[in-house]
Amino acid sequence: MSTMGAPMPRDEPARGGFQRRLLLIFGMQLVAVVVACLMGYYNVAPAAAVLLLIVIVSALTWLATERAWRQVSTLAQWVGNWKEGQPDLDAIQPERLRQTDSDIATLARGFHTFASRIAGYNERERNFTRDASHELRSPLTVIKMSTDMLSDEAGLSDFGKRSVQRIRRATREMEALVEALLILAREADNGQGEQDFVVNDILRDELANAREMLHGHPIELQLEEPASFALHGSPRVFAVLCWQLIRHASQYTGQGIVQVTVTPGMVSVSAIAGSEQEHPPAPGQRGFEYAIAQRISERFAWPLSLHVQGGNRYVAEIRFPKPLPVSA
């Protein structure tokens, strides 16, 4: 069969060139060392000259190996310096490696493709979360306005008033969730309104709002303040993080006490259930609220840990690496 119309395949560099280069270097070293040893054995050259020749051959071998290994070191440095959220992928372009061995070029292209896929996935996730959160704000605003007008109706029955209160609480919970998603969708902290704030003041306001949203649930919220400290950051982000943990603790206990404690450089949220749970939540089944809190803590470098003590005590701890003293 004729192949005149078929395109000729491009000649690609053979694989394994780096391995063959190392084999050639060490093979030449072996030959040179054997020749030097034979020269010493047959008294062709004095022992000092033989030793000097072996040292020179070893030094040249090391230089040749170091030069061949330089491209691997460059690639390893790129991989080590790359971060998942790094938007600029030009620094790890495979074309930036000059006179690259085919094996190393394959590794560089594979890593660049992988990094591009990760960056694209993160960008799509941020865009979707941001767009979905913005789209949810409009109907939530309409629901809030409607419930406010409906609660002012003079002839509203007791059942209707209770229904309006439930709708209002659900709307506020949804607003807190949307705000948390918007925080996670932002690429950086820009626009978060960073400032110095006292942790205790934010917690008092947040617990007041939480009591209103948890009204009707058999849950008691308590605030213990054996210490006080301040932070530099976004007070709204801190409030959203604490609310997610309070919400998660409330769902964990069902009924009982949820206690927020402020200690030096740390805020803990603990829940004491009324009775020991037969099946406490496993580490992989900690709920959507805790997952959001964990993402926020990772974003703002506030380490978060969760402990379940026994079967009826839940303790979540947020540590703040750089607490500030409270000004007088």
Side-chain angles (χ1 to χ4, degrees), residues 137-158:
R137 278 189 165 185
S138 297
L140 286 175
T141 303
V142 173
I143 294 173
K144 283 182 60 179
M145 296 176 60
S146 300
T147 53
D148 291 339
M149 291 186 294
L150 188 60
S151 61
D152 294 335
E153 289 288 334
L156 193 63
S157 64
D158 293 339

Side-chain angles (χ1 to χ4, degrees), residues 199 227 229 261-268 303 305 316-320 323:
V199 166
F229 63 93
T261 306
V262 182
T263 54
M266 185 177 71
V267 173
S268 63
S305 61
E317 297 177 344
I318 320 168
R319 300 183 182 275
F320 301 94

